[in-house]
Amino acid sequence: MTTKNIHEATLAEVNEISDSQAEFVVRPLYYGYGNTLGNSLRRVLLSSVKGAAITAFSIEGSSHEFTAIPGIREDVVDIMLNLKNIRFKMHTDAPVELDLEIKGDKQSEKDGDKRVVAGDIKLPAEVEIANPNQVICHIDDPKFVLKMHFVVETGRGYLTIDQSSEDRVHSDMIAIDAVFTPVLRVRYKVENTRVGQDTNLQQLTLTIDTDGTITPREAFEEAAAILVNQYTALAGETTVDRTPAPGSKEDEDDSGLLLPIEELDLSARTANALLNNDIRTVRDLVTLSENDLRDLKGFGQKALDEVKEKLTELNF
């Protein structure tokens, strides 16, 4: 059976599996729109949702990324890779500079090297870290004091090291390529569904995993808003014909809303009061609140009670 109308899709279900994973069920979709919508949402989710990352850093005693630092087990390249895995949540769009200062202690001599983690970074109020246990490096000298400086910025998608180098806040810092996107993984599947007699429809199930700096719902809504803005700019003045199919529930509802006031069997006084205030159909009537009706010229409490009773009778 061929679907004659393009049904307006709705977000039918949201299944929150965890704080960072959720399933979104969208239906009904015109046949073929499952893959169209699923693929476009997936691409935008993975490339365009706003996030934050370290774009440059410095380590006291190191001038470039190919330096070995006495007192640190890892070299600077290994530290760079670890820094790229720190997940930041920013409450500002301006670049933020952070500091870390930590000393190897006596415990490192007894139990091994001292582990330095993201949670050791000093944070201002506008910055949060979603994975404070992410390892940065290990101090293997109990007398060594590690001093680091970071620049964290917001962005979308992926920033190459060349771009990061060009836009560095401080030219003497080491640039790092940054992965801004807070969405780690997106999967979708398309299944058949139906609405009434229309069986040639689809359902889209989208599963989103984030890094914890943003909820899956926030990511989904931001991606959808990006697509809406893009398509709205292209649509111009064009509108979609949403005329209900003859005999459908929507068609019956619209027919009721178009019913003239004169056909409601209201008293002559009440009907005239409505018509004199340019209220000519049920649609005009149901858009008004009780206070709006009371404010109408020549419309009293008795008329209000009569109208409420009639709308209840008509299931409005």
Side-chain angles (χ1 to χ4, degrees):
M1 178 178 179
T2 302
T3 303
K4 295 180 180 179
N5 297 298
I6 298 179
H7 291 264
E8 186 171 345
T10 60
L11 183 56
E13 299 175 34
V14 178
N15 303 315
E16 296 182 350
I17 301 168
S18 68
D19 291 341
S20 59
Q21 185 183 76
E23 282 185 350
F24 300 85
V25 180
V26 182
R27 62 172 181 263
L29 293 168
Y30 189 70
Y31 189 79
Y33 280 26
N35 285 309
T36 300
L37 192 59
N39 189 49
S40 57
L41 279 169
R42 181 178 183 274
R43 291 175 67 90
V44 173
L45 280 162
L46 291 173
S47 68
S48 305
V49 175
K50 193 174 184 180
I54 295 173
T55 56
F57 73 100
S58 65
I59 304 175
E60 188 174 282
S62 172
S63 58
H64 56 80
E65 59 266 41
F66 303 108
T67 306
I69 306 171
I72 299 293
R73 184 201 303 175
E74 295 84 355
D75 59 25
V76 178
V77 172
D78 290 329
I79 294 175
M80 286 177 65
L81 295 174
N82 291 334
L83 294 179
K84 287 165 63 174
N85 290 324
I86 302 177
R87 302 292 180 173
F88 292 90
K89 182 174 183 178
M90 297 267 282
H91 302 286
T92 177
D93 289 330
V96 176
E97 299 186 33
L98 308 176
D99 292 299
L100 181 153
E101 182 173 340
I102 191 168
K103 181 182 179 181
D105 51 28
K106 293 183 178 180
Q107 184 179 1
S108 64
E109 293 179 334
K110 179 180 178 181
D111 300 327
D113 299 340
K114 182 176 182 63
R115 188 177 66 161
V116 180
V117 297
D120 294 320
I121 300 174
K122 298 175 184 177
L123 299 177
E126 61 266 30
V127 182
E128 298 177 39
I129 292 178
N131 55 339
N133 294 322
Q134 168 62 41
V135 174
I136 296 175
C137 64
H138 294 81
I139 300 176
D140 56 13
D141 181 351
K143 297 180 181 180
F144 180 79
V145 177
L146 174 64
K147 295 181 180 180
M148 299 185 70
H149 190 68
F150 313 93
V151 175
V152 181
E153 299 182 63
T154 59
R156 301 180 191 273
Y158 176 75
L159 182 71
T160 66
I161 196 166
D162 292 334
Q163 293 172 309
S164 183
S165 296
E166 293 174 2
D167 301 331
R168 274 179 296 181
V169 176
H170 301 292
S171 59
D172 60 338
M173 298 184 74
I174 301 171
I176 182 173
D177 53 330
V179 180
F180 291 113
T181 180
V183 178
L184 302 180
R185 187 182 183 193
V186 181
R187 293 157 286 161
Y188 74 88
K189 66 178 179 179
V190 178
E191 301 170 288
N192 294 327
T193 189
R194 64 183 295 163
V195 174
Q197 297 300 312
D198 285 342
T199 58
N200 201 22
L201 298 172
Q202 292 184 329
Q203 169 181 294
L204 170 67
T205 302
L206 198 74
T207 305
I208 301 173
D209 295 270
T210 70
D211 62 8
T213 62
I214 187 174
T215 66
R217 181 184 282 274
E218 289 171 335
F220 179 87
E221 291 176 351
E222 183 175 341
I226 290 170
L227 285 172
V228 168
N229 291 337
Q230 295 295 308
Y231 289 132
T232 299
L234 300 177
E237 299 299 322
T238 302
T239 58
V240 177
D241 180 12
R242 300 190 184 278
T243 303
S248 66
K249 185 178 185 302
E250 293 88 348
D251 186 44
E252 293 173 3
D253 290 345
D254 274 3
S255 298
L257 290 171
L258 295 175
L259 197 66
I261 293 297
E262 296 91 335
E263 296 184 19
L264 293 182
D265 294 327
L266 297 169
S267 66
R269 182 184 181 89
T270 301
N272 287 334
L274 292 172
L275 293 170
N276 289 337
N277 285 280
D278 202 29
I279 299 170
R280 304 193 176 279
T281 66
V282 172
R283 186 189 297 276
D284 297 334
L285 189 57
V286 297
T287 59
L288 301 175
S289 67
E290 285 192 24
N291 289 334
D292 292 333
L293 289 170
R294 287 193 180 96
D295 291 339
L296 294 177
K297 185 177 180 180
F299 202 85
Q301 184 63 44
K302 186 175 180 180
L304 176 61
D305 292 339
E306 186 181 358
V307 166
K308 289 170 63 177
E309 183 179 346
K310 180 58 65 175
L311 291 179
T312 300
E313 180 183 324
L314 295 173
N315 294 321
F316 285 110

